[in-house]
Short mmCIF file of all heavy atoms in Angstrom, two decimals:
data_model
loop_
_atom_site.label_atom_id
_atom_site.label_comp_id
_atom_site.label_asym_id
_atom_site.label_seq_id
_atom_site.Cartn_x
_atom_site.Cartn_y
_atom_site.Cartn_z
N SER A 360 27.00 15.29 88.29
CA SER A 360 26.82 15.55 89.72
C SER A 360 28.10 16.15 90.28
O SER A 360 29.13 16.21 89.61
CB SER A 360 26.48 14.25 90.48
OG SER A 360 27.54 13.31 90.34
N GLY A 361 28.00 16.61 91.53
CA GLY A 361 29.17 17.12 92.22
C GLY A 361 29.45 18.58 91.91
O GLY A 361 28.65 19.29 91.28
N ASP A 362 30.59 19.05 92.36
CA ASP A 362 31.05 20.42 92.14
C ASP A 362 31.60 20.51 90.73
O ASP A 362 32.75 20.15 90.47
CB ASP A 362 32.13 20.76 93.18
CG ASP A 362 32.57 22.21 93.12
OD1 ASP A 362 32.47 22.83 92.04
OD2 ASP A 362 33.04 22.73 94.15
N LEU A 363 30.78 21.00 89.82
CA LEU A 363 31.14 20.96 88.40
C LEU A 363 32.34 21.83 88.07
O LEU A 363 33.15 21.48 87.21
CB LEU A 363 29.93 21.36 87.55
CG LEU A 363 28.70 20.45 87.67
CD1 LEU A 363 27.55 20.99 86.83
CD2 LEU A 363 29.04 19.02 87.23
N ALA A 364 32.47 22.98 88.73
CA ALA A 364 33.61 23.86 88.47
C ALA A 364 34.90 23.17 88.89
O ALA A 364 35.88 23.10 88.11
CB ALA A 364 33.44 25.18 89.22
N TYR A 365 34.93 22.63 90.12
CA TYR A 365 36.13 21.96 90.63
C TYR A 365 36.45 20.71 89.83
O TYR A 365 37.59 20.50 89.40
CB TYR A 365 35.94 21.62 92.11
CG TYR A 365 37.00 20.70 92.66
CD1 TYR A 365 38.26 21.18 92.99
CD2 TYR A 365 36.74 19.33 92.83
CE1 TYR A 365 39.24 20.33 93.48
CE2 TYR A 365 37.71 18.47 93.32
CZ TYR A 365 38.96 18.97 93.65
OH TYR A 365 39.93 18.13 94.11
N LEU A 366 35.42 19.85 89.63
CA LEU A 366 35.67 18.59 88.94
C LEU A 366 36.13 18.80 87.51
O LEU A 366 37.02 18.10 87.02
CB LEU A 366 34.40 17.74 88.96
CG LEU A 366 34.04 17.08 90.30
CD1 LEU A 366 32.69 16.40 90.21
CD2 LEU A 366 35.12 16.08 90.72
N SER A 367 35.53 19.77 86.81
CA SER A 367 35.93 20.00 85.42
C SER A 367 37.39 20.45 85.35
O SER A 367 38.12 20.04 84.43
CB SER A 367 35.02 21.03 84.76
OG SER A 367 35.15 22.31 85.35
N ALA A 368 37.82 21.25 86.32
CA ALA A 368 39.22 21.70 86.34
C ALA A 368 40.16 20.53 86.62
O ALA A 368 41.22 20.41 85.99
CB ALA A 368 39.39 22.79 87.39
N GLU A 369 39.77 19.66 87.56
CA GLU A 369 40.61 18.50 87.88
C GLU A 369 40.67 17.52 86.71
O GLU A 369 41.73 16.95 86.42
CB GLU A 369 40.07 17.80 89.12
CG GLU A 369 40.22 18.60 90.40
CD GLU A 369 41.68 18.95 90.69
OE1 GLU A 369 42.51 18.01 90.77
OE2 GLU A 369 41.99 20.15 90.80
N VAL A 370 39.54 17.33 86.04
CA VAL A 370 39.51 16.44 84.88
C VAL A 370 40.40 17.00 83.77
O VAL A 370 41.15 16.23 83.14
CB VAL A 370 38.06 16.27 84.38
CG1 VAL A 370 38.04 15.58 83.02
CG2 VAL A 370 37.23 15.49 85.39
N ARG A 371 40.36 18.30 83.55
CA ARG A 371 41.21 18.90 82.52
C ARG A 371 42.69 18.68 82.83
O ARG A 371 43.48 18.36 81.93
CB ARG A 371 40.90 20.39 82.39
CG ARG A 371 41.68 21.09 81.28
CD ARG A 371 41.23 20.64 79.90
NE ARG A 371 39.87 21.08 79.62
CZ ARG A 371 39.09 20.52 78.71
NH1 ARG A 371 39.52 19.48 78.00
NH2 ARG A 371 37.86 20.97 78.52
N LYS A 372 43.06 18.85 84.10
CA LYS A 372 44.45 18.59 84.50
C LYS A 372 44.83 17.14 84.20
O LYS A 372 45.94 16.85 83.73
CB LYS A 372 44.64 18.88 85.98
CG LYS A 372 44.53 20.34 86.38
CD LYS A 372 44.65 20.49 87.89
CE LYS A 372 44.39 21.91 88.34
NZ LYS A 372 44.43 22.03 89.83
N PHE A 373 43.92 16.22 84.50
CA PHE A 373 44.17 14.80 84.26
C PHE A 373 44.38 14.54 82.77
O PHE A 373 45.32 13.85 82.37
CB PHE A 373 42.98 13.99 84.78
CG PHE A 373 43.28 12.55 85.11
CD1 PHE A 373 43.36 12.12 86.42
CD2 PHE A 373 43.46 11.62 84.10
CE1 PHE A 373 43.63 10.79 86.72
CE2 PHE A 373 43.73 10.29 84.38
CZ PHE A 373 43.82 9.86 85.71
N PHE A 374 43.51 15.12 81.95
CA PHE A 374 43.63 14.96 80.50
C PHE A 374 44.96 15.51 79.99
O PHE A 374 45.63 14.90 79.14
CB PHE A 374 42.48 15.66 79.78
CG PHE A 374 41.14 14.98 79.91
CD1 PHE A 374 39.98 15.63 79.52
CD2 PHE A 374 41.04 13.69 80.41
CE1 PHE A 374 38.74 15.00 79.62
CE2 PHE A 374 39.81 13.05 80.52
CZ PHE A 374 38.65 13.72 80.13
N CYS A 375 45.34 16.66 80.48
CA CYS A 375 46.60 17.28 80.05
C CYS A 375 47.79 16.44 80.47
O CYS A 375 48.80 16.35 79.74
CB CYS A 375 46.72 18.69 80.60
SG CYS A 375 45.56 19.87 79.85
N ALA A 376 47.69 15.82 81.65
CA ALA A 376 48.78 14.96 82.10
C ALA A 376 48.90 13.73 81.19
O ALA A 376 50.02 13.29 80.88
CB ALA A 376 48.53 14.53 83.55
N ILE A 377 47.78 13.17 80.76
CA ILE A 377 47.80 12.04 79.83
C ILE A 377 48.47 12.45 78.52
O ILE A 377 49.32 11.73 77.97
CB ILE A 377 46.36 11.55 79.55
CG1 ILE A 377 45.71 11.00 80.81
CG2 ILE A 377 46.36 10.51 78.43
CD1 ILE A 377 46.25 9.70 81.29
N GLU A 378 48.09 13.61 78.01
CA GLU A 378 48.69 14.09 76.75
C GLU A 378 50.19 14.25 76.88
O GLU A 378 50.96 13.85 76.00
CB GLU A 378 48.05 15.43 76.35
CG GLU A 378 48.64 16.01 75.07
CD GLU A 378 47.94 17.28 74.61
OE1 GLU A 378 46.84 17.58 75.11
OE2 GLU A 378 48.50 17.97 73.73
N ARG A 379 50.61 14.79 78.01
CA ARG A 379 52.04 15.06 78.23
C ARG A 379 52.83 13.78 78.53
O ARG A 379 53.87 13.54 77.91
CB ARG A 379 52.19 16.03 79.40
CG ARG A 379 53.61 16.46 79.71
CD ARG A 379 53.65 17.50 80.81
NE ARG A 379 53.06 17.01 82.06
CZ ARG A 379 51.89 17.41 82.54
NH1 ARG A 379 51.15 18.30 81.87
NH2 ARG A 379 51.43 16.92 83.69
N ASP A 380 52.33 12.94 79.43
CA ASP A 380 53.10 11.77 79.87
C ASP A 380 53.03 10.61 78.90
O ASP A 380 54.01 9.88 78.72
CB ASP A 380 52.61 11.31 81.25
CG ASP A 380 52.89 12.33 82.35
OD1 ASP A 380 53.51 13.37 82.04
OD2 ASP A 380 52.47 12.10 83.50
N LEU A 381 51.85 10.41 78.29
CA LEU A 381 51.69 9.28 77.40
C LEU A 381 51.80 9.66 75.93
O LEU A 381 51.62 8.82 75.04
CB LEU A 381 50.33 8.59 77.64
CG LEU A 381 50.30 7.53 78.75
CD1 LEU A 381 50.62 8.14 80.11
CD2 LEU A 381 48.94 6.84 78.79
N LYS A 382 52.08 10.96 75.70
CA LYS A 382 52.30 11.45 74.32
C LYS A 382 51.09 11.17 73.41
O LYS A 382 51.23 10.68 72.29
CB LYS A 382 53.56 10.83 73.71
CG LYS A 382 54.82 11.01 74.54
CD LYS A 382 55.21 12.48 74.62
CE LYS A 382 56.56 12.69 75.29
NZ LYS A 382 56.56 12.37 76.72
#
Side-chain angles (χ1 to χ4, degrees):
S360 61
D362 186 334
L363 298 177
Y365 169 77
L366 286 174
S367 66
E369 292 301 304
V370 169
R371 183 69 68 201
K372 292 177 187 176
F373 203 107
F374 287 169
C375 290
I377 296 289
E378 179 176 346
R379 183 176 60 253
D380 294 357
L381 274 63
K382 305 295 188 291

